[in-house]
């Protein structure tokens, strides 16, 4: 495929690559995009997913929030796929400077990536909303229903819910990495969730690559568009 050859060439020529990814990076690890509401979902839940994972719903109905959260947003058996592994290898080679992700699954770190900006937080970090005590994902899974701390406070996952703002420190670091990148690869995201989707505007180079299964609003701005599964595309980068 001619486009993948061009991608390979650009990766070989670059040493300041930044990757920005969304849910599509993890679907090949068996983690569904929660927005794809199936028939099973409609039988089990009375509210749309965006409502359930909003801050106000979490405060108002924590039982239903955690039922959805544990059922639809935590996948402890998931393993990194070819995309995660290829990105970790590019970082190891000194080519990739940072991974910026909208995902909360921690698969980039599991694959070996170290410079990971988690825009929407992580299921692996959980804190008591009263005393601040840290809890791991395993701690949360071991508790039935709403997880409570020893002090009696609710343990909240360190994930950004609807109605909550992004961590400004993480956002600023992401902007800085993108601004200084010589190559920006965007993968597995429809680029419709803001403010994350707006990060693309900070890129100032001429190697903007978009890899996605469907068209995105930014395709016309890209220097290279590859339509396909990101894991399959990245598996062809082996040995670059």
């Amino acid at each position: 495929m001619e486009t993948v050859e061009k991608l390979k060439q650009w990766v070989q020529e670059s040493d300041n690559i930044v990757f920005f990814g969304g849910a599509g990076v993890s679907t090949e690890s068996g983690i569904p995009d929660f927005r794809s509401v199936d028939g099973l979902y409609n039988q089990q839940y009375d509210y749309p997913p965006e409502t359930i994972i909003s801050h106000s719903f979490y405060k108002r109905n924590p039982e239903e929030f955690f039922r959805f959260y544990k059922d639809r947003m935590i996948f402890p058996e998931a393993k990194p796929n070819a995309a995660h592994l290829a990105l970790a290898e590019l970082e190891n080679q000194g080519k990739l400077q940072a991974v910026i992700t909208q995902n909360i699954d921690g698969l980039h770190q599991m694959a070996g990536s170290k410079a990971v900006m988690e825009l929407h937080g992580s299921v692996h970090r959980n804190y008591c909303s009263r005393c601040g005590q840290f809890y791991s994902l395993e701690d949360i899974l071991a508790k039935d229903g709403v997880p409570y701390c020893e002090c009696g406070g609710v343990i909240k996952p360190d994930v950004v819910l609807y109605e909550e703002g992004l961590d400004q420190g993480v956002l600023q670091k992401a902007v800085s990495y993108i601004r200084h990148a010589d190559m920006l690869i965007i993968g597995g995201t429809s680029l419709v969730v803001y403010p994350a989707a707006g990060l693309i505007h900070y890129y100032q180079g001429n190697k903007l690559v978009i890899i996605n299964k469907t068209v995105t609003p930014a395709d016309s701005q890209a220097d290279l568009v590859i339509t396909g599964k990101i894991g399959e595309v990245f598996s062809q980068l082996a040995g670059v």
Side-chain angles (χ1 to χ4, degrees), residues 7-147:
L7 176 64
K8 278 187 183 178
Q9 181 188 336
W10 284 1
V11 168
Q12 284 171 339
E13 295 169 353
S14 304
D15 60 5
N16 190 351
I17 303 170
V18 170
F19 177 80
F20 173 45
V25 178
S26 293
T27 50
E28 287 168 79
S29 292
I31 298 181
D33 180 350
F34 74 84
R35 278 191 190 78
S36 50
V37 175
D38 54 26
L40 184 67
Y41 176 93
N42 289 321
Q43 292 168 29
Q44 293 183 340
Y45 301 99
D46 297 329
Y47 307 90
E50 283 83 358
T51 298
I52 297 177
I53 58 167
S54 66
H55 181 81
S56 53
F57 189 92
Y58 158 77
K59 297 293 282 186
R60 188 173 70 247
N61 193 341
E63 293 84 3
E64 187 70 353
F65 169 84
F66 277 104
R67 186 166 79 92
F68 177 86
Y69 178 74
K70 290 179 177 180
D71 183 36
R72 287 275 163 158
M73 298 181 73
I74 300 178
F75 295 87
E77 309 302 318
K79 297 285 186 285
N81 61 51
H84 299 106
L85 296 170
L87 288 164
E89 178 55 30
L90 288 174
E91 181 183 23
N92 195 38
Q93 292 172 13
K95 288 185 164 295
L96 184 85
Q97 299 307 313
V99 167
I100 300 162
T101 180
Q102 294 171 285
N103 297 334
I104 58 175
D105 49 50
L107 291 180
H108 285 293
Q109 290 93 328
M110 202 184 293
S113 290
K114 294 177 178 63
V116 183
M117 316 288 113
E118 294 174 309
L119 295 176
H120 295 160
S122 171
V123 299
H124 296 278
R125 296 187 301 271
N126 305 271
Y127 298 95
C128 172
S129 49
R130 182 181 292 172
C131 74
Q133 168 80 24
F134 171 85
Y135 287 88
S136 68
L137 175 59
E138 290 68 33
D139 293 330
I140 298 300
L141 291 171
K143 294 175 181 287
D144 291 330
V146 179

Side-chain angles (χ1 to χ4, degrees), residues 91-208:
E91 181 183 23
N92 195 38
Q93 292 172 13
K95 288 185 164 295
L96 184 85
Q97 299 307 313
V99 167
I100 300 162
T101 180
Q102 294 171 285
N103 297 334
I104 58 175
D105 49 50
L107 291 180
H108 285 293
Q109 290 93 328
M110 202 184 293
S113 290
K114 294 177 178 63
V116 183
M117 316 288 113
E118 294 174 309
L119 295 176
H120 295 160
S122 171
V123 299
H124 296 278
R125 296 187 301 271
N126 305 271
Y127 298 95
C128 172
S129 49
R130 182 181 292 172
C131 74
Q133 168 80 24
F134 171 85
Y135 287 88
S136 68
L137 175 59
E138 290 68 33
D139 293 330
I140 298 300
L141 291 171
K143 294 175 181 287
D144 291 330
V146 179
Y148 286 98
C149 176
E150 293 163 5
C151 79
V154 176
I155 303 168
K156 183 182 183 294
D158 187 18
V159 298
V160 179
L161 305 179
Y162 285 101
E163 303 164 354
E164 293 180 341
L166 301 191
D167 182 299
Q168 288 305 301
V170 174
L171 199 56
Q172 284 166 10
K173 279 173 87 171
V175 167
S176 179
Y177 274 116
I178 289 175
R179 192 174 265 147
H180 295 102
D182 63 3
M183 180 176 183
L184 176 61
I185 304 174
I186 296 174
T189 172
S190 53
L191 289 171
V192 294
V193 176
Y194 281 82
L199 290 173
I200 186 173
H201 303 304
Y202 292 99
Y203 179 61
Q204 298 169 350
N206 60 0
K207 292 177 186 168
L208 173 58

